Amino acid sequence: MTAFGPSFTFGGLISGKDALFCYTSFMISFLEGTVLFAGEKFAIISIGGIGYKVFAGPDTLARMPAKGAVAKLWTHQHVREDALDLYGFLHYPELELFEMLIAISGIGPKGAIGILGIAPVDTLKKAIAAGDTSYLTRVSGIGKKIAEKVVLELKDKMAGRGVMVDAPELQAEADSLDALVALGYSQREARDALAAVPAEIKGIEKRVGEALKRMGKAK
């Protein structure tokens, strides 16, 4: 029992292969409940008197409904020998890409969460489809070799899902993101501001300028 309700720990009751079977015999794919707590790394969602600890990225936690409000999360249940962890996402495409990433050797949940935090899902998919590893290597712990492996394993899958690649536009968006970060904004702030800029606004200077206006920082 925790301060937020019972935990999903079977230690002392079941061990070894039986515990692993118990962990994997049911999967939690979606949660809808009241937000009890939202911190820097996880949130606690109350459902029927039980508190579910859900790990999430900074962007998801920043957009989480306020304490006492109802949150709806798509979830991935990650099984380890000594724990069962839940990772939550506000939108299904985020969960889908997360699960594709962690299926690649060398990328765990933390690395996948980090990748999802550097650009919108659509942009990341386009980068992978284009063979552009620059987005992936922005994440701490994701080196060039692992980034190249991600592209190698997922590039065809992106093409199979109809992801269209516009290399010049993709590079311009990356440069715009770098420009905003260089001005002192966080990756999340820069990403969210650029995501709100209409697609018809082209060019690095124009997109950065529009992003600054939307953040109320344009002079």
Side-chain angles (χ1 to χ4, degrees), residues 183-219:
L183 289 174
Y185 296 99
S186 68
Q187 287 276 353
R188 181 179 65 81
E189 290 172 329
R191 189 191 91 165
D192 290 349
L194 286 171
V197 176
E200 57 267 23
I201 296 180
K202 305 290 185 181
I204 298 171
E205 290 186 8
K206 291 183 178 179
R207 290 191 65 79
V208 169
E210 184 63 25
L212 288 170
K213 289 180 183 178
R214 289 174 181 273
M215 290 189 287
K217 299 296 183 181
K219 295 181 180 181

Side-chain angles (χ1 to χ4, degrees), residues 3 10 42 59 74-75 82 85 104 109 111 130-131 136 149 151 156 159 164 176 189 193 199:
F10 296 96
F42 64 87
D59 293 343
W74 296 95
T75 58
D82 58 348
D85 296 327
I104 298 172
L136 307 179
K149 190 173 184 179
V151 169
D156 289 343
M164 302 300 291
S176 299
E189 290 172 329

Side-chain angles (χ1 to χ4, degrees), residues 44-127:
I44 303 294
I45 308 298
S46 175
I47 303 174
I50 297 176
Y52 293 78
K53 184 176 184 179
V54 184
F55 293 96
D59 293 343
T60 298
L61 291 167
R63 301 196 304 270
M64 189 77 68
K67 182 180 178 180
V70 174
K72 298 180 180 180
L73 296 171
W74 296 95
T75 58
H76 172 84
Q77 188 169 301
H78 189 69
V79 179
R80 297 184 296 166
E81 290 184 1
D82 58 348
L84 186 157
D85 296 327
L86 285 174
Y87 290 85
F89 308 88
L90 293 174
H91 305 290
Y92 183 76
E94 295 171 340
L95 168 64
E96 184 179 44
L97 184 54
F98 172 85
E99 292 184 331
M100 293 174 72
L101 288 168
I102 63 174
I104 298 172
S105 176
I107 298 183
K110 291 183 180 179
I113 288 288
I115 291 173
L116 287 170
I118 56 178
V121 169
D122 287 345
T123 301
L124 288 172
K125 288 180 177 179
K126 289 177 182 179

